Amino acid sequence: MTPRTAPATPAADPGPSAAQQIDAKIAALDDWRGVVLARIRTIIHAADPQVVETVKWRGVPVWEHDGILCTGETYKAAVKMTFAKGAALPDPTGLFNASLDGNTRRAIDVHEGDKLNATALKALIRAAVALNASKTRAPAKKAARKV
């Protein structure tokens, strides 16, 4: 008797990549919000060429580097960039204008007609990358002493 094997199944289609999903989201926003989200994305990539794009929480674009840097949510009246560890980031130019009461996150709401300060936003992205990198480094363990 020969053993039975399951019929070969084709490799599962992983579907569109995160970058393709974000492209589609931007294209579907056929108003100022798509333009703003695309500009934010460009600034993030300029600030951190190693950033990884993901899509979470029912289609929200997320940019990561050693953890979540920020999200790019779109609402009727705003495009919101929420920084996962924004409360720990320096913000000398005052970009954060939303979610200021929490202990962890901070956000930037961009409304129609608002200008983005690309230089300040790049600095904020780089600070978020540095913070995430500092949190991923394991502290050095002291060698156990033999008695």
Side-chain angles (χ1 to χ4, degrees):
M1 228 159 130
T2 58
R4 290 186 62 174
T5 58
T9 58
D13 179 11
S17 69
Q20 291 168 327
Q21 291 177 60
I22 295 170
D23 288 341
K25 182 172 189 76
I26 289 169
L29 293 165
D30 59 353
D31 59 11
W32 65 271
R33 296 172 302 159
V35 173
V36 169
L37 188 58
R39 176 82 174 119
I40 287 170
R41 185 186 199 191
T42 299
I43 292 169
I44 291 169
H45 281 277
D48 180 17
Q50 295 177 334
V51 73
V52 175
E53 293 185 323
T54 60
V55 176
K56 299 181 183 198
W57 311 296
R58 297 183 186 196
V60 175
V62 179
W63 290 276
E64 302 184 41
H65 188 145
D66 292 332
I68 294 175
L69 300 173
C70 63
T71 63
E73 300 164 79
T74 54
Y75 299 96
K76 185 176 181 177
V79 175
K80 179 183 286 289
M81 285 184 75
T82 302
F83 285 76
K85 299 175 185 162
L89 298 175
D91 183 22
T93 60
L95 288 178
F96 290 130
N97 62 6
S99 305
L100 301 175
D101 297 333
N103 294 329
T104 306
R105 293 185 299 274
R106 293 285 184 272
I108 302 167
D109 282 356
V110 182
H111 300 94
E112 186 172 11
D114 287 353
K115 301 281 184 207
L116 283 171
N117 182 338
T119 302
L121 187 52
K122 284 179 191 176
L124 203 55
I125 295 292
R126 290 179 182 132
V129 170
L131 180 61
N132 280 1
S134 73
K135 301 286 184 183
T136 60
R137 291 186 202 117
K141 293 184 179 181
K142 293 183 180 179
R145 298 176 104 188
K146 291 186 179 181
V147 182

